[in-house]
């Protein structure tokens, strides 16, 4: 929308695999204000800019190290809640994360923007799962088409069946992956092409 004042929020999350079931996380939430009545760079400004950086370990993605940064904020007291975020160290992103964050930093105990950023960290479960799958079978058009990549996912977590419409139990993606798992050489791509049922 051009010609009207607006606020743009960006959230980014980066997850890197640093070892077997070990990950490094970087996340950021930034709110920018644009005064489009004038439309010059001087009329825009950062309202909020918060970062989270930390390390995770294990299948439960337990937070082993956590650093929260308050780079830009509207009030002098905003960063006062940052030390309280250390209470999240030792907690799992997989089990009870949302409840833990809200109990620790909900309402006046925290900052809505830091809490929003921390709640979003639960989403890295999907990224961690992708990295684990990719470690077994590299993500490629061939491995996706012939079922090897999804078979690696089924080996790691059979519960992904039914997680979305593409992973419907009776659908072609899950059938192809199950056929791969049934063949001892299936994940290495050693079996002949699988024909679709008629």
């Amino acid at each position: 929308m051009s010609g009207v004042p607006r606020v743009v929020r960006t959230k980014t999350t980066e997850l890197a695999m640093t070892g077997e079931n070990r990950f490094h996380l970087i996340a950021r939430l930034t709110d920018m204000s644009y005064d489009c009545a004038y439309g010059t760079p001087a009329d825009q400004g950062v309202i909020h800019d918060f970062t989270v950086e930390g390390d995770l370990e294990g299948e439960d993605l337990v937070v082993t190290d956590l650093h929260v940064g308050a780079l830009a904020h509207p009030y002098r007291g905003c960063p006062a809640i940052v030390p309280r975020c250390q209470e999240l160290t030792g907690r799992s992103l997989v089990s009870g994360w949302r409840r833990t964050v809200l109990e620790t930093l909900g309402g006046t105990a925290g900052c809505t923007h830091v809490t929003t950023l921390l709640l979003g960290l639960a989403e890295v479960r999907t990224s961690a799962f992708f990295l684990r799958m990719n470690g077994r079978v590299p993500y490629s058009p061939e491995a996706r088409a012939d079922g090897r990549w999804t078979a690696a996912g089924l080996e790691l977590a059979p519960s992904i069946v039914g997680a979305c419409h593409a992973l419907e139990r009776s659908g072609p993606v899950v059938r192809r992956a199950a056929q791969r798992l049934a063949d001892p050489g299936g994940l290495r791509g050693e079996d002949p092409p699988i024909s679709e049922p008629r």
Side-chain angles (χ1 to χ4, degrees):
M1 293 175 61
S2 62
V4 296
R6 68 192 193 283
V7 173
V8 177
R9 170 168 288 182
T10 57
K11 281 175 60 179
T12 57
T13 307
E14 178 183 339
L15 189 69
M17 188 173 239
T18 57
E20 175 119 15
N21 277 330
R22 296 183 63 181
F23 303 90
H24 186 72
L25 165 76
I26 301 171
R28 188 170 197 163
L29 179 148
T30 306
D31 287 335
M32 292 285 295
S33 169
Y34 296 88
D35 184 349
C36 297
Y38 301 98
T40 63
D43 300 316
Q44 65 189 38
V46 179
I47 309 168
H48 305 104
D49 194 5
F50 293 100
T51 60
V52 171
E53 188 164 357
D55 294 312
L56 311 171
E57 284 190 13
E59 298 216 0
D60 288 338
L61 301 177
V62 173
V63 177
T64 59
D65 189 39
L66 185 69
H67 301 278
V68 175
L71 308 178
H73 39 83
Y75 306 114
R76 181 178 296 178
C78 288
I81 58 89
V82 168
R84 189 173 177 99
C85 297
Q86 289 304 308
E87 295 179 31
L88 300 173
T89 303
R91 303 304 183 105
S92 165
L93 292 184
V94 173
S95 177
W97 179 252
R98 179 177 174 78
R99 182 181 67 251
T100 300
V101 170
L102 291 175
E103 286 173 355
T104 306
L105 295 161
T108 58
C111 160
T112 56
H113 304 89
V114 171
T115 301
T116 296
L117 184 56
L118 289 166
L119 287 172
L121 297 186
E123 299 167 7
V124 305
R125 292 180 292 188
T126 303
S127 300
F129 187 64
F130 172 87
L131 291 169
R132 288 176 178 138
M133 284 175 69
N134 204 48
R136 291 181 176 215
V137 175
Y139 184 74
S140 70
E142 297 78 21
R144 290 194 317 273
D146 68 18
R148 285 179 289 140
W149 190 70
T150 305
L154 288 176
E155 272 192 329
L156 284 167
S159 61
I160 66 170
V161 174
C164 71
H165 73 97
L167 295 173
E168 184 180 343
R169 182 175 303 281
S170 61
V173 172
V174 172
R175 278 200 323 267
R176 198 173 297 118
Q179 289 172 323
R180 284 285 178 184
L181 287 175
D183 179 357
L187 288 183
R188 293 186 300 275
E190 296 174 356
D191 58 344
I194 299 168
S195 59
E196 289 290 329
R198 296 179 189 197

